[in-house]
Amino acid sequence: MKHLLSIGDLTRDSALDLLDEADRFKAALLGREVRKLPTLRGRTVMTVFFENSTRTRASFEVAGKWMSADVINVSASTSSVRKGESLRDTAATLHAIGADALIVRHPSSGAPRQVARWTAEMAPDGVAPAVINAGDGTHEHPTQALLDALTLRDRLGGFEGRRVGIVGDIVHSRVARSNALLLTMLGAEVVLIAPPTLMPLGADGWGVTVAHDLDSELPGLDAVMMLRVQAERMRGGFFPSAREYAIRYGLNETRRRMLPEQAVILHPGPMLRGMEIGYSVADSPQAAPLQQVANGVHVRMAVLFRLLVGEQADA
Amino acid sequence: MTTVLITGTRPYGEGDPVDVLIEDGVITRIVPAGTLEATPDAAGDGPGAEVIEAAGTVLLPGFVDMHTHLREPGREDAETVRSGSAAAARGGYTAVFAMANTDPVADTAVVTDHVYAQGRTVGLVDVHPVGAVTKGLAGAELAEMGVMAASTASVRLFSDDGHCVADPLIMRRALEYARGLDVLIAQHAEEPRLTEGAVAHEGPTAARLGLAGWPRAAEESIVIRDALLARDAGARVHICHASTAGTVELIRWAKGQGIDITAEVTPHHLMLDDARLETYDGIFRVNPPLREASDAEALRAALAEGVVDCVATDHAPHAAQDKCCEFSQARPGMLGLETALGVVAQTMVGPGLLDWRGVAAVMSERPARITGLPDHGRPIGVGETANLTVVDPDSAWTVRGAELASIADNTPYEELTLPARVRATLLRGRVTCVDGKVRAH
Ligand SMILES: [Zn+2]
């Protein structure tokens, strides 16, 4: 694995290996007062965020630092882009500076893949940085899917025969895309639940089930993943109102009780309480938002380790 | 007197090889190959005479492109009338229609006459400026179509291409007004509300890649609306760059109703589909977008059948920085003039969908007839104006953007080997290009 741009870059085995690796990092750090491993000493990891996301950036930053990498945050959204520098120029500059890994978040779908291609073209010696997609447009967010999968494995013990509902603004959600790909690859059944206006065209060809009625699905779910609805979508006519959305698709207390008792509730955050998810639901024992955050660091450590150190060092 | 002798060629690829003698811009003799060699005068030993040895070639009427973006005035860093004319000559074209979405927009005779004059100065291809349908391509008020039609450039084709004339009332008035001038409206069929933010064909590929989708219905709803408006107005309408299987069926229906509608298809919509977007390379961003393989197949069949009338390149040069960027930021458009014949040969002639007479029909005769050009797209015969293209059907060539005559290099066929290279192009008997070398005036 050279880059992590899409869940499609993973096989079932390499995905499971990343989850196991994340568990090993978690175990290695357990109970330590100083959470510092020498794994990536001397390596330079750059987070390049063309779009703000405090939690994702912080998670990658902590992951790098706990492995002793030099982590540098490049605020691409405020500096180079405003000066009219192209994405290709930015990629060239960061490559020339000598990054071992570029963690790219970008509002345009595919931008991290383009960065990977351009930096490879610029590297006459063939040594180009590993690129990690930290969320691109409405395409994918593979590390989020991995941390969700790790959380589900913690809670449910495995994936085979488990049924996971992904609810809400699926068409605009990179989290939904990556999760649908990963969870089906790992053997879970995935049901996408949204009004047709928020359902991607051809989703029925993704090896998932498509549904529009949340209530009838809830009793059969082992996990429900609530998605973020961006405020700007509410004016686009995707659904009549925030109120109607909350009534039809919000995970309120009544709906929580329709879920099996052991079912897990996930949310990539930040949560819109009261609309996407009820106030008390988010704090219920079934909800796992903080476990998701903690797992995020371990998963990102695993990804950085696999990309920068590779498989052979594992032996 | 200029004399050119083309030896050993076969008009439309049919019959025995012939020698074609051209004197002062007119075809004067077509005789069995080898006959003219005995007569030094006729073989062109006089001043300005030239022999093009063309054994194994196919002789076709010079190609006519109804849909070219020359970018002058305004974006001379991407293309100029001069560089675009050179690309046209190398591609076998003798006439091109230069779209109106320049900066300033060609919505007045000042701009159309300027483009026309530049074309005359360069002299490699007849450059016919297209006039805007509405002022500033804004879709709100009709441009002065009558003044442009009566100007030096004698504008015959009007289009807001790049934009759709989306307001149904404005489109109705434009068609009615055009009928009174006996000019043609060419519509870029794209319902703008259905394509807000769209960067790729709305389908499984775009959904998976997370690219905002441009639905087929955005094109088809305008096609059927305009067919009905043309029917009511008793006017002609031409559909630019038809891209969907549904559009084909709507045009078939409209023609069956006796509606005066014509349509073009681009080489890239004949050959490419949205599977190309996998790499997010902005080179493949085009408007209308590359559709699915089934659409391309329907378009090839429709062109073979004549439901879609002709091939038009939608040659759209863009500066490198406008293409080498995020896919969603890339400007839509692709180069087309130099590669059009190769793509048509590959997709239509190779599989037996068209013979060379059919190629002459879709690349020369029909576009000339639709746009009303009197001396282009004519049969190859004695007494006809020598607007001609000599094609070597057996020569394969590898496309390299940097080697094309256009200033821009945004070809979607980079490193692809295409068949059927143009050996020579003649504009009114004058050789404008031979073996890839352009002959300046
Ligand atoms: Zn157009």
Side-chain angles (χ1 to χ4, degrees):
Chain A
M1 189 168 65
K2 179 89 189 72
H3 308 289
L4 182 59
L5 303 168
S6 158
I7 290 299
D9 295 340
L10 300 174
T11 61
R12 185 172 185 278
D13 285 349
S14 64
L16 286 171
D17 175 63
L18 282 171
L19 300 185
D20 294 343
E21 194 70 75
D23 276 341
R24 282 196 284 274
F25 278 114
K26 186 195 292 187
L29 292 164
L30 198 70
R32 284 192 184 217
E33 209 161 290
V34 179
R35 284 179 287 196
K36 202 87 169 169
L37 304 170
T39 324
L40 295 183
R41 186 168 289 150
R43 302 303 192 97
T44 303
V45 172
M46 292 191 186
T47 67
V48 194
F49 277 41
F50 293 84
E51 187 183 80
N52 290 326
S53 170
T54 310
R55 68 167 58 206
T56 302
R57 173 176 245 165
S59 180
F60 272 109
E61 188 173 352
V62 168
K65 289 195 164 159
W66 285 0
M67 294 194 290
S68 305
D70 296 312
V71 183
I72 293 159
N73 295 324
V74 182
S75 289
S77 53
T78 50
S79 59
S80 54
V81 171
R82 265 198 207 149
K83 281 182 236 140
E85 189 181 41
S86 76
L87 180 61
R88 198 174 188 282
D89 292 338
T90 306
T93 304
L94 298 175
H95 181 213
I97 287 172
D100 295 300
L102 296 175
I103 296 158
V104 181
R105 189 184 188 93
H106 200 285
S108 282
S109 299
R113 185 170 295 281
Q114 291 175 295
V115 167
R117 188 175 78 237
W118 290 329
T119 49
E121 284 168 6
M122 290 163 197
D125 53 357
V127 181
V131 179
I132 299 170
N133 179 1
D136 62 329
T138 53
H139 177 223
E140 283 207 46
H141 194 353
T143 58
Q144 175 74 41
L146 286 164
L147 74 86
D148 288 337
L150 188 60
T151 308
L152 289 176
R153 192 168 77 168
D154 289 348
R155 293 280 187 117
L156 302 172
F159 303 100
E160 290 295 337
R162 305 298 185 183
R163 192 169 168 86
V164 182
I166 303 178
V167 184
D169 186 1
I170 292 158
V171 72
H172 299 107
S173 173
R174 46 203 182 200
V175 175
R177 259 177 203 72
S178 288
N179 264 299
L181 285 169
L182 180 61
L183 293 173
T184 50
M185 184 199 285
L186 294 175
E189 287 174 54
V190 172
V191 51
L192 304 178
I193 306 160
T197 48
L198 294 175
M199 191 67 76
L201 207 94
D204 43 1
W206 293 1
V208 300
T209 307
V210 167
H212 306 301
D213 180 37
L214 179 58
D215 288 345
S216 61
E217 294 295 331
L218 285 172
L221 295 179
D222 296 294
V224 59
M225 186 178 293
M226 303 306 295
L227 297 174
R228 183 146 171 57
V229 180
Q230 279 113 24
E232 64 266 24
R233 309 281 177 226
M234 296 179 200
R235 293 192 307 269
F238 289 95
F239 48 86
S241 67
R243 183 180 117 87
E244 176 158 329
Y245 183 89
I247 289 169
R248 295 196 64 212
Y249 294 100
L251 190 63
N252 54 29
E253 194 52 42
T254 312
R255 289 210 170 91
R256 186 186 67 77
R257 286 196 292 268
M258 293 165 75
L259 282 167
E261 207 167 324
Q262 297 310 311
V264 190
I265 298 167
L266 300 179
H267 194 296
M271 290 181 283
L272 218 56
R273 292 199 192 209
M275 179 183 167
E276 301 154 353
I277 193 159
Y279 284 88
S280 58
V281 177
D283 300 325
S284 71
Q286 284 156 304
L290 295 178
Q291 192 178 359
Q292 286 174 275
V293 172
N295 280 336
V297 177
H298 303 129
V299 152
R300 284 164 182 135
M301 290 174 82
V303 168
L304 284 168
F305 179 74
R306 279 289 177 242
L307 289 177
L308 295 181
V309 183
E311 324 284 326
Q312 67 281 12
D314 191 39
Chain B
M1 174 157 111
T2 60
T3 307
V4 177
L5 178 65
I6 304 169
T7 63
T9 188
R10 294 163 71 228
Y12 309 103
E14 297 165 358
D16 293 326
V18 296
D19 292 345
V20 178
L21 185 68
I22 295 142
E23 295 171 295
D24 274 345
V26 175
I27 298 172
T28 52
R29 295 184 71 182
I30 301 177
V31 295
T35 335
L36 286 180
E37 280 171 348
T39 51
D41 273 355
D45 283 351
E50 174 166 10
V51 178
I52 296 173
E53 311 244 3
T57 64
V58 171
L59 187 65
L60 297 175
F63 304 147
V64 175
D65 189 15
M66 289 184 67
H67 195 144
T68 307
H69 296 274
L70 292 181
R71 302 298 184 216
E72 182 180 347
R75 282 310 295 265
E76 290 85 353
D77 58 331
E79 195 78 291
T80 61
V81 172
R82 182 171 295 279
S83 66
S85 294
R90 288 178 63 166
Y93 286 89
T94 51
V96 300
F97 285 78
M99 278 297 169
N101 64 338
T102 48
D103 182 15
V105 170
D107 59 358
T108 65
V110 176
V111 181
T112 54
D113 280 347
H114 169 77
V115 171
Y116 180 73
Q118 285 292 101
R120 297 281 292 195
T121 306
V122 175
L124 289 170
V125 58
D126 286 349
V127 175
H128 295 282
V130 176
V133 176
T134 67
K135 287 176 188 158
L137 310 176
E141 297 171 84
L142 294 184
E144 290 181 343
M145 292 162 64
V147 176
M148 287 186 268
S151 71
T152 319
S154 182
V155 179
R156 282 275 156 303
L157 182 61
F158 290 86
S159 181
D160 275 4
D161 183 62
H163 299 266
C164 181
V165 182
D167 182 322
L169 183 62
I170 297 293
M171 187 59 183
R172 180 189 169 182
R173 297 278 184 258
L175 289 166
E176 289 170 343
Y177 199 74
R179 187 194 63 203
L181 296 169
D182 194 24
V183 297
L184 176 62
I185 304 282
Q187 174 73 290
H188 169 120
E190 174 183 357
E191 165 49 51
R193 283 288 277 159
L194 290 175
T195 58
E196 283 173 12
V199 300
H201 166 66
E202 183 179 273
T205 302
R208 189 166 45 78
L209 295 175
L211 297 172
W214 201 128
R216 292 187 182 93
E219 174 171 308
E220 293 158 2
S221 59
I222 296 292
V223 169
I224 194 63
R225 182 201 77 175
D226 287 358
L228 298 175
L229 291 175
R231 179 194 65 188
D232 292 356
R236 297 193 290 152
V237 68
H238 177 79
I239 302 300
C240 295
H241 39 55
S243 73
T244 79
T247 290
V248 168
E249 290 316 308
L250 294 172
I251 291 166
R252 187 195 306 278
W253 175 84
K255 284 183 168 176
Q257 298 293 303
I259 295 169
D260 204 347
I261 189 169
T262 53
E264 67 192 32
V265 61
T266 71
H268 49 268
H269 287 108
L270 290 174
M271 181 183 267
L272 307 174
D273 61 60
D274 65 352
R276 300 289 172 138
L277 306 187
E278 215 67 50
T279 58
Y280 296 93
D281 189 337
I283 221 84
F284 295 108
R285 181 155 179 214
V286 68
N287 195 5
L290 298 179
R291 302 282 184 188
E292 293 174 44
S294 56
D295 294 288
E297 192 187 341
L299 291 164
R300 291 191 293 265
L303 184 65
E305 214 186 322
V307 175
V308 167
D309 299 82
C310 63
V311 171
T313 66
D314 196 4
H315 177 81
H318 286 298
Q321 70 271 18
D322 293 329
K323 277 298 197 183
C324 190
C325 58
E326 296 87 324
F327 189 84
S328 59
Q329 303 300 311
R331 300 279 297 265
M334 303 169 163
L335 296 184
L337 285 170
E338 284 186 61
T339 48
L341 176 67
V343 173
V344 169
Q346 175 108 323
T347 57
M348 301 297 296
V349 181
L353 289 166
L354 282 184
D355 57 14
W356 290 108
R357 193 168 280 278
V359 172
V362 301
M363 294 189 70
S364 178
E365 291 157 13
R366 288 192 203 141
R369 194 172 67 226
I370 292 166
T371 53
L373 296 187
D375 64 349
H376 290 268
R378 297 286 305 162
I380 296 168
V382 170
E384 295 286 353
T385 303
N387 290 320
L388 296 168
T389 298
V390 184
V391 174
D392 184 348
D394 301 319
S395 66
W397 62 293
T398 301
V399 181
R400 291 192 181 87
E403 293 170 9
L404 299 176
S406 287
I407 293 170
D409 60 4
N410 54 307
T411 174
Y413 312 110
E414 187 71 30
E415 291 298 324
L416 188 76
T417 298
L418 290 177
R421 188 150 211 191
V422 171
R423 271 287 324 270
T425 310
L426 285 82
L427 177 64
R428 281 182 287 281
R430 202 169 59 73
V431 178
T432 54
C433 172
V434 65
D435 293 325
K437 286 177 206 57
V438 172
R439 299 255 181 96
H441 218 1

